Structure formats: structure tokens, C-alpha cells
């Protein structure tokens, strides 16, 4: 880090502080103002927040590491612009009509209170045990690599720099999220997103120059061939591939994408904050455009790191160190400060979104049930306290992530593949058919969660499971994404059967929450919310994705 790098990084922090101070001066009037920015966000803020919230250290560390280890295999999980379009075109009208704060609240409107409570529990536990811990852990790894500092002395004690940077990151982000609420998340994202893009694009360009161009990169990565004949540059792998069979990843990545982008509070909260359906949908379209970039600015740099290591131009100590190694090896004076600012932006924005969403789930889905008549200011204070608790829990779970054995991004997708199927099935059938009953919705969540967690628990103790047994073949040996697809299909079948034997919800209560049940006035409102420009831009996004798949097929 040169003097100029520190100056650039300092300017980024000054801009961030300025935005936060401006947000804090805009007093929160009520819970809607604190949690959803008063439902007055515009498409630029929504789209930038969708992207910045998604891009965390699991991308800077994990996706680049996945690129260095397996090449294009995990690109399916990033080319999800089409799923974000589903959020804007299919789900925004239902969410807008329901006027809900949270996704569990929507399930209560569609199904029953039990479904709401169960989804809240799943969401909060998954946030703390995966997203917070993984993001903070990876953040500590990045900063330790970038600054090349092993420890810092405090009052005569040497403290691992990993812990200093990780805890400092959580505390700083927790403070501005606690006091700024959703507005702080949205408007800091507008600053952080371009910084992140500029820095990452610089890494991509300089890396390609260093390796000898795109042709040279493809030549090197295509020579790394698996036993099934697939190269690192292959997007589609053999159905016999133990890690990424195309028969599993196509459906598996789509299920995870549908759950994450269309039903997860972490992301959907951004469109719930929209001024109207037009702004929410266009925010989703803008977010879909931005979502086309991670493969190029994170995964391909990981492949570049692999190629440079093969040529002996850099030393890659581990796959998860790919991005930070490129930062330290390639960037000229000044740009390093920009990229580190981008890394900070990704880490802080992702954590900020997570803290705010977790606090909202706790306050709206739990606390209000026990104290339903409190003032809005009281709920805002409770939300802030809940955010602080989430911060503390995130720090407490960091040691769990220290024992990770897999590439970070691959680990995340495997865990999410066990959480996503049940939730995705319940939301999908919930809006597709008014005949899906409340009991079917609740038991669909339970069945999906139990089947997913059963595999997770058995894998923890897989050393004691006898090979060749039914339990070993199904819960350990079967490919994760094949298992995910089977859970999804089983939950849908179970929900259809349960719906046949149980009572449907009064159609008048869920009017407008399922396809075909909207009133003429509601349909007219939806039609008035979009124009030809929304259609054209959505078509462009789909076309880019198809071209990408065609090139890397």
C-alpha cells in the first residue's frame, strides 16, 4: 500500500461517512421508514442494493477460488439475471399487493401463522450460521492476504490480524446499519457498487494482459482436463462428474436461484422498499444487468490466477487466495486503494443487508406477536437491538468457519442446496394455485427442511456410516445437486397430496396473492406499471445469458 493507495482508500471512507451522516439526519418516522426506507426507493437504489447485497466476500474469496479450482463449473449460479427478472415480473405484483414487510409475513397471508414462524426460524438460523460467519471469515482472510500482516500488538499481546480485521469489519458495519436502517443499506450501496465494479474490472484487464490475452487463458485452462474429458473452460460437465454433473447443476442452481432471488428476505427486502411497482420492477431489471458481471470480474480472474500460477508468474498458495493474490501482484499504485475500497464495499454492503434483514425478521415476525400494540418507535429500537445481537452472534460463529475444508463458494452452494428446495416449492405452489392448502404450505417447509438437515447432519458423522448401505448411498454418496432436485420434487408431490386431503383457504382472503385471482383493477395496475422499455431491457438480459451459455457450452 503506497501513500496514494491510502489516500484513495481514505477518500472512499470519507464518502461512505458522508452518506451515512446524511442518512442519519433523515429521521426514521416509523418501522416502514427504518426497515423499508419508507417504501420510497427508486430503481437505481434498488438495483444497486440488490447487486451490492449479493456480492460479498463469498464472491471475492469464494467465486474467484472456484474459478481457480474448477473453472467455469460454478458459473451457473452467477448467470441468474433471468431469475431476478422473475422477481420483477412475476413476484413484485404479489408482494406489492400484499403490503408485507417480510417473506414469512407473506406466507402467513397465503397459508397460516405456523408457516410464517417456521420460515422465520429457518431464515434467522441460516443467516447467522452461514452468511454472517462466512462473510466475516472470508473478509478476515482477504485482509490478512492483502495487507500481509500476521499479527498486531495490543498492550503487549500479539493478536492475529485475521481477528482484528474480521471483528472490526463486523462492528463498523453493525454500527451504521443499526443507526441508519434500510436507508443506510440502500444509499451506501449506490456509492459502493461503482467502486466495486471499477476495482474488479481493473483486476480483469490487468490479469488478461499479464497472462497474454483471452486466447492464452482459454488455451491454458482447456489443457486442464478431468477424467471425464471436461476442461476448466467447460460450462457443462459430464453427467458422471462427481461434483458438477450437468443433470444436477442445471436444476439445482435454478432452485437455489429461485429461492435466493425471489423468496429470500435478504434480497426481496430491496424491492419491497420500492416507491411503486414500476420502480421495484426496474430495480430488479437493473440488478439483473449488474448480475451479469460477477462471472467476468470474479470467476474469470480466478481462472487467470490459475493460469498465471501455471506459467510461474505468480505463486498461488491456495485457491481461495486467488483474488487477493492478484490484488497484491498486479495492481499499480493507486488502483490497489480502489480495489481494497471495492473489497470493503462488498463486505460491508453484504453484511449491512444481512443485519437489517435479520433484525426485521425478528421484530416483525416474532416480537410484534408478543407486544402487538407498541409504538413504531419502540419497534425501531427493538430492531436496532436485534441487529446488535445478530452482530454478536456473527462474531461468535467465526471460529466455526475456520475449519472449512472446501472452496468457500462451493461450500455455500452445497449448504444452500439443502435449504432451498422446500422453501422454493412452497412459494412456487403458493402463487401458482389457490388449491394449495395452508397445511400443505406448512408441511412442505417442514419436509424440505428435515430432509436437507438430515443429509447435513449425517455428513458431519459420515465416518461412522458404513459404505454401501442405503444411508450412505442416499445421504453421502449421491451428488448434492441431484439430492436437491429429489427434495424439490418430493416436496411438491407431498404438497399436492396434502392439499387433496385438507381444506383450502377462503379464496376471498387470498385474492390477488395467486395467479388468476387478481381483480380487474389489480391487473390494470400491473399493466400500467411497465412499458416497452422494460420488455426490451429484459430481452437484452436474456439474450446475453443465451450467448454466454452458447460460447462456454
Amino acid at each position: 500500500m503506497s501513500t496514494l493507495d491510502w489516500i484513495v482508500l481514505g477518500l472512499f471512507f470519507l464518502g461512505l461517512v458522508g452518506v451515512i451522516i446524511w442518512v442519519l439526519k433523515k429521521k426514521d418516522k416509523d418501522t416502514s421508514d427504518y426497515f423499508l426506507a419508507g417504501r420510497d426507493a427508486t430503481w437505481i437504489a434498488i438495483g444497486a442494493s440488490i447487486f451490492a447485497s449479493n456480492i460479498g466476500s463469498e464472491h471475492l474469496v469464494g467465486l474467484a477460488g472456484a474459478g481457480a479450482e474448477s473453472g467455469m463449473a460454478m458459473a451457473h449460479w452467477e448467470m441468474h439475471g433471468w431469475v431476478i427478472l422473475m422477481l420483477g415480473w412475476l413476484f413484485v405484483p404479489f408482494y406489492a399487493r400484499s403490503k408485507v414487510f417480510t417473506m414469512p409475513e407473506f406466507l402467513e397471508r397465503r397459508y397460516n401463522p405456523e408457516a410464517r414462524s417456521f420460515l422465520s426460524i429457518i431464515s434467522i438460523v441460516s443467516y447467522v450460521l452461514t452468511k454472517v460467519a462466512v462473510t466475516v471469515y472470508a473478509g478476515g482472510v482477504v485482509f490478512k492476504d492483502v495487507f500481509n500482516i500476521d499479527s498486531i500488538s495490543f498492550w503487549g499481546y500479539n493478536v492475529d490480524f485475521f481477528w482484528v480485521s474480521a471483528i472490526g469489519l463486523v462492528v463498523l458495519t453493525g454500527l451504521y446499519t443499526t443507526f441508519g436502517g434500510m436507508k443506510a443499506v440502500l444509499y451506501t450501496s449506490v456509492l459502493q457498487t461503482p467502486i466495486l465494479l471499477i476495482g474488479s474490472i481493473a483486476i480483469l484487464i490487468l490479469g488478461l494482459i499479464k497472462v497474454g490475452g483471452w486466447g492464452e487463458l482459454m488455451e491454458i485452462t482447456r489443457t486442464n482436463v478431468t477424467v471425464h474429458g471436461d476442461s476448466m473452460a467447460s460450462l457443462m460437465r459430464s453427467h458422471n462428474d462427481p461434483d458438477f454433473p450437468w443433470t444436477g447443476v442445471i436444476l439445482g442452481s435454478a432452485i437455489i436461484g429461485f429461492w435466493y432471488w425471489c423468496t429470500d428476505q435478504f434480497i426481496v427486502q430491496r424491492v419491497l422498499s420500492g416507491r411503486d411497482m414500476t420502480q421495484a420492477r426496474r430495480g430488479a431489471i437493473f440488478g439483473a444487468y449488474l448480475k451479469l458481471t460477477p462471472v467476468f470480474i470474479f470467476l474469470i480472474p480466478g481462472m487467470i490466477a490459475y493460469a498465471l500460477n501455471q506459467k510461474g508468474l505468480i505463486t498461488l498458495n491456495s485457491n481461495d487466495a486467488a483474488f487477493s493474490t492478484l490484488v497484491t501482484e498486479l495492481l499499480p499504485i493507486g488502483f490497489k486503494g480502489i480495489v481494497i475500497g471495492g473489497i470493503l464495499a462488498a463486505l460491508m454492503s453484504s453484511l449491512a443487508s444481512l443485519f437489517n434483514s435479520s433484525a426485521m425478521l425478528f421484530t416483525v415476525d416474532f416480537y410484534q406477536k408478543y407486544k402487538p400494540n407498541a409504538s413504531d418507535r419502540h419497534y425501531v429500537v427493538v430492531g436496532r437491538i436485534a441487529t446488535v445481537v445478530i452482530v454478536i452472534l456473527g462474531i461468535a460463529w467465526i471460529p466455526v468457519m475456520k475449519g472449512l475444508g472446501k472452496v468457500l463458494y462451493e461450500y455455500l452452494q452445497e449448504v444452500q442446496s439443502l435449504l432451498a428446495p422446500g422453501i422454493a416449492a412452497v412459494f412456487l405452489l403458493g402463487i401458482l394455485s389457490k388449491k394449495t392448502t395452508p397445511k400443505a404450505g406448512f408441511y412442505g417447509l417442514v419436509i424440505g427442511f428435515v430432509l436437507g438437515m438430515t443429509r447435513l447432519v449425517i455428513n458431519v458423522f459420515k465416518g461412522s456410516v458404513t459404505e454401501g448401505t442405503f444411508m450412505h448411498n442416499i445421504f453421502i454418496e449421491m451428488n448434492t445437486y441431484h439430492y436437491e432436485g429429489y427434495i424439490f420434487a418430493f416436496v411438491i408431490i407431498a404438497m399436492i397430496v396434502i392439499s387433496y386431503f385438507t381444506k383450502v383457504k377462503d379464496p376471498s382472503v387470498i385474492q390477488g396473492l395467486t395467479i388468476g385471482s387478481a381483480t380487474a383493477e389489480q391487473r390494470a395496475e400491473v399493466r400500467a406499471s411497465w412499458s416497452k422499455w422494460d420488455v426490451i431491457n429484459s430481452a437484452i438480459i436474456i439474450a446475453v445469458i443465451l450467448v454466454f451459455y452458447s460460447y462456454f457450452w
Side-chain angles (χ1 to χ4, degrees), residues 28 33 36 38 92 98 122 141 151 159 163 173 218 222-223 235 250 309 313 347 367 400 479 507 518:
D28 297 316
D33 215 29
L36 295 179
V92 160
S98 65
I122 297 172
V141 171
S151 62
V159 182
W163 289 104
T173 309
M218 289 295 100
R222 282 172 180 155
T223 59
L235 184 61
I250 293 296
N309 185 63
L313 298 177
L347 298 173
Y367 189 79
V400 178
N479 177 267

Side-chain angles (χ1 to χ4, degrees), residues 192-340:
Q192 292 163 338
T193 298
I195 295 294
L196 176 62
L197 289 173
I198 291 170
S200 301
I201 290 170
I203 284 282
L204 173 65
I205 294 173
L206 293 173
L208 284 174
I209 293 172
K210 183 80 170 178
V211 81
W214 180 259
E216 180 70 8
L217 173 64
M218 289 295 100
E219 181 66 27
I220 294 173
T221 54
R222 282 172 180 155
T223 59
N224 183 359
V225 180
T226 68
V227 294
H228 300 291
D230 302 308
S231 74
M232 286 185 70
S234 300
L235 184 61
M236 295 298 208
R237 305 294 166 91
S238 166
H239 69 279
N240 292 319
D241 189 286
D243 298 315
F244 308 106
W246 73 267
T247 49
V249 298
I250 293 296
L251 179 60
S253 63
I255 293 171
I256 292 175
F258 177 80
W259 160 70
Y260 182 80
W261 294 106
C262 297
T263 73
D264 190 7
Q265 182 71 24
F266 183 65
I267 293 297
V268 177
Q269 191 168 334
R270 281 101 210 59
V271 297
L272 294 180
S273 66
R275 181 177 299 167
D276 50 40
M277 273 193 279
T278 299
Q279 296 300 316
R281 182 180 295 105
R282 288 180 180 173
I285 293 172
F286 181 40
Y289 266 119
L290 294 174
K291 188 57 183 171
L292 298 175
T293 61
V295 166
F296 302 98
I297 61 177
F298 298 124
L299 188 141
I300 289 178
M303 296 171 65
I304 291 172
Y306 166 82
L308 291 174
N309 185 63
Q310 291 295 107
K311 296 181 75 169
L313 298 177
I314 65 170
T315 300
L316 191 60
N317 295 322
S318 71
N319 291 322
D320 278 336
F323 195 84
S324 54
T325 301
L326 292 179
V327 170
T328 56
E329 295 284 346
L330 299 183
L331 290 180
I333 292 175
F335 266 94
K336 191 177 293 185
I338 294 176
V339 173
I340 292 174

Side-chain angles (χ1 to χ4, degrees), residues 54-174:
N54 170 242
I55 302 301
S57 52
E58 68 269 22
H59 284 80
L60 294 168
V61 175
L63 187 57
E69 181 186 52
S70 56
M72 278 290 164
M74 302 211 74
H76 299 279
W77 282 263
E78 290 306 308
M79 298 308 289
H80 273 167
W82 65 273
V83 190
I84 307 178
L85 292 180
M86 283 184 63
L87 170 65
W89 286 98
L90 180 60
F91 281 89
V92 160
F94 296 113
Y95 295 152
R97 285 196 288 264
S98 65
K99 298 295 183 184
V100 296
F101 279 73
T102 68
M103 293 299 93
E105 187 181 0
F106 179 81
L107 283 193
E108 181 178 34
R109 291 282 308 276
R110 176 59 188 86
Y111 293 115
N112 54 31
E114 291 77 15
R116 174 180 183 171
S117 297
F118 199 79
L119 181 60
S120 297
I121 293 170
I122 297 172
S123 300
I124 291 176
V125 170
S126 67
Y127 287 173
V128 173
L129 300 185
T130 59
K131 292 180 180 177
V132 174
V134 168
T135 300
V136 176
Y137 169 76
V141 171
V142 167
F143 285 110
K144 191 170 182 177
D145 287 340
V146 168
F147 290 105
N148 197 25
I149 300 174
D150 290 325
S151 62
I152 292 181
S153 179
F154 283 106
W155 295 290
Y157 294 96
N158 287 329
V159 182
D160 192 333
F161 187 68
F162 167 87
W163 289 104
V164 175
S165 57
I167 293 175
L169 177 72
V170 172
V171 172
L172 179 63
T173 309

